[in-house]
Amino acid sequence: MIDIEILNRLNAPTKQERLESLREVLKTTEFPPMVPQYINNHIHTTYSFSPYSPTAAVYAARMEGLCTAGIIDHDSISGAEEFLEAAKLVDMPVTIGMEARISMDGTRLEGRRTNNPDQVGVSYMTIQSVPHDKIDVLTEFFKPYQAARHARNRKMIEKINALLPGIALDYDKDVLPLSMAKENGGVTERHLMYALAIKLVQQVGKGRSMVEKLASMGVSLSEKQTNQMLDMAYPFYEYDLLGILKSAFVPQIFIDATDECPKLSDMVKLCNEIDAFLCYAYLGDVGDSVTGDKKAQKFEDDYLEDVFECLKEEGVKSVTYMPTRNTPAQLERLRSLCDQYGMFQISGEDINSPRQSFVIKAMENPMFQNLIDATWKLIEHENR
């Protein structure tokens, strides 16, 4: 995590203020050497959910020695232009894209769980290496899907209020101000839980009183989570709390996404038209969660060959995965199938929490050189 004072400056209210703050910060900044193996193509920003604006994300990535970075936000690519401008200021090549939930209706994976913890029949996919003159095309395409998500979010807020009397969250007053919705940013379940976390802190405070409040709400804390709730000095206390709340309450308030999820055939067509890479995001069965808000759960491993057959049938030609999130056996199988089916392999590990490092240490392993090479291919492709 970068210095909190610098982070606050780089998270200023407007894009112009953020970039100007970066120019000022750079006058007294000495960056570490770039490490050729350190790349990360899946960094979330405030345009979905993150403690980092696009400007702050670029600065933080460069401060950790990354030689390149990539922006990925949920349902939105609206932070990409700022990300590109900030990257020029720090002299770091970057790649841009976004993430979407895709309906698998009409495919062989219809009604089956793939990489989505919350819903069967809907898969997370990324749109990578978007040509810079096609940013507006994606923004316009996703506007109706964003509107549908807002409608579903409002219904989930109603369920939170019914489940937790005395909370009284208001979507317009408590949730939207935490997002970049006014600039076509995405609003996710994390925003709902963050609003709930802020409301709880306002009501009962931090520390032991929060531990007791969570217990009264039926939330069982691990030793690690208890220690986090007792750490009243941590500047991102509400982020730790939202991770706890997400695990405890999202399953209870979740409403299946329908109208906000484009069909796979439509996404394949769109990505072909704009010359971007549509990538299936492999998750694999989860044990311990790196971000602390994903429970142990089985995903697509039991029928991974069917996933690849589906991708081939539907015209998806790329797979993205997270080397440090999977076991060696999972990675060996996945990479073998990518080779078998001729899939372009991309990597990136999602950054959306202040406790996470931007560095993917696994990239130091020579076996992942292909993923580093792929990153430079993405950058070259979108800058043609």
Side-chain angles (χ1 to χ4, degrees):
M1 169 56 66
I2 60 178
D3 180 83
I4 188 67
E5 182 181 343
I6 291 177
L7 178 62
N8 289 336
R9 292 172 65 185
L10 300 182
N11 280 347
T14 69
K15 170 184 172 181
Q16 290 73 23
E17 289 175 298
R18 295 190 290 269
L19 290 170
E20 185 55 38
S21 293
L22 177 59
R23 292 185 183 94
E24 290 299 314
V25 168
L26 290 178
K27 293 177 181 179
T28 56
T29 296
E30 182 176 346
F31 287 122
M34 288 183 175
V35 180
Q37 294 81 12
Y38 288 174
I39 57 103
N40 193 340
N41 301 315
H42 200 121
I43 297 171
H44 290 282
T45 77
T46 49
Y47 282 82
S48 52
F49 190 84
S50 169
Y52 305 99
S53 69
T55 297
V58 167
Y59 179 84
R62 183 64 190 85
M63 282 299 290
E64 289 202 48
L66 271 67
C67 64
T68 182
I71 184 173
I72 291 287
D73 281 314
H74 289 284
D75 299 343
S76 175
I77 196 169
S78 295
E81 291 182 350
E82 178 184 340
F83 196 82
L84 291 167
E85 291 182 46
K88 288 181 181 178
L89 292 176
V90 305
D91 195 23
M92 181 170 69
V94 295
T95 179
I96 64 170
M98 61 176 291
E99 186 168 12
R101 291 150 303 133
I102 308 301
S103 170
M104 305 305 282
D105 287 356
T107 76
R108 68 165 61 206
L109 295 177
E110 181 174 346
R112 301 171 76 178
R113 186 178 303 282
T114 54
N115 57 10
N116 190 328
D118 301 312
Q119 187 174 350
V120 301
V122 173
S123 298
Y124 281 100
M125 293 193 180
T126 61
I127 305 169
Q128 308 268 178
S129 191
V130 176
H132 301 170
D133 62 349
K134 296 297 190 289
I135 292 173
D136 290 343
V137 175
L138 278 176
T139 296
E140 290 303 313
F141 179 87
F142 275 93
K143 280 183 178 179
Y145 297 106
Q146 290 177 336
R149 186 161 197 170
H150 285 305
R152 185 173 66 95
N153 284 343
R154 291 180 186 278
K155 293 177 181 178
M156 288 192 289
I157 285 292
E158 292 175 3
K159 293 188 72 172
I160 291 173
N161 290 336
L163 181 67
L164 303 173
I167 295 298
L169 286 176
D170 183 284
Y171 189 67
D172 295 291
K173 295 178 180 179
D174 298 320
V175 178
L176 289 182
L178 302 176
S179 76
M180 299 296 288
K182 63 183 181 297
E183 298 178 28
N184 298 308
V187 181
T188 72
E189 284 80 14
R190 280 187 171 87
H191 288 94
L192 309 188
M193 293 300 109
Y194 192 43
L196 176 58
I198 292 172
K199 183 76 72 169
L200 287 173
V201 170
Q202 290 173 346
Q203 288 185 352
V204 304
K206 303 177 182 180
R208 179 59 59 184
S209 60
M210 181 59 70
V211 172
E212 293 172 354
K213 176 63 175 179
L214 291 170
S216 73
M217 296 164 65
V219 179
S220 298
L221 300 179
S222 66
E223 181 180 356
K224 175 182 176 181
Q225 290 171 330
T226 299
N227 290 335
Q228 288 176 342
M229 292 299 92
L230 294 176
D231 185 2
M232 300 169 63
Y234 182 56
F236 297 96
Y237 186 92
E238 289 83 0
Y239 270 76
D240 285 343
L241 179 54
L242 89 85
I244 294 168
L245 297 173
K246 184 172 179 287
S247 293
F249 295 114
V250 166
Q252 299 184 61
I253 61 96
F254 188 81
I255 298 171
D256 279 353
T258 54
D259 296 343
E260 68 203 63
C261 300
K263 290 185 177 180
L264 180 55
S265 58
D266 292 334
M267 286 307 306
V268 170
K269 180 175 182 289
L270 174 66
C271 289
N272 286 338
E273 289 175 350
I274 66 172
D275 195 23
F277 293 84
L278 179 63
C279 310
Y280 175 79
Y282 171 74
L283 180 57
D285 299 348
V286 172
D288 291 333
S289 169
V290 174
T291 54
D293 61 357
K294 293 183 177 69
K295 64 182 179 180
Q297 190 173 355
K298 289 187 69 64
F299 291 98
E300 70 272 72
D301 280 345
D302 287 347
Y303 43 88
L304 192 56
E305 289 83 356
D306 270 2
V307 172
F308 275 83
E309 283 292 331
C310 178
L311 299 179
K312 178 182 178 181
E313 291 166 355
E314 303 298 328
V316 179
K317 302 174 183 178
S318 306
V319 171
T320 181
Y321 55 95
M322 303 175 285
T324 58
R325 304 291 183 95
N326 299 117
T327 66
Q330 285 176 313
L331 291 169
E332 181 179 356
R333 181 186 181 205
L334 176 72
R335 286 161 63 88
S336 176
L337 285 169
C338 284
D339 290 340
Q340 179 182 334
Y341 283 85
M343 294 288 172
F344 183 47
Q345 299 177 43
I346 299 170
S347 97
E349 305 204 359
D350 53 320
I351 302 297
N352 53 36
S353 164
R355 291 191 181 274
Q356 293 174 272
S357 170
F358 284 62
V359 172
I360 305 174
K361 296 289 287 184
M363 288 301 167
E364 296 175 354
N365 187 331
M367 73 177 287
F368 295 123
Q369 181 63 44
N370 67 307
L371 300 178
I372 298 171
D373 295 341
T375 295
W376 294 107
K377 290 178 182 178
L378 295 177
I379 293 170
E380 180 183 5
H381 173 267
E382 70 190 64
N383 283 283
R384 288 188 302 183

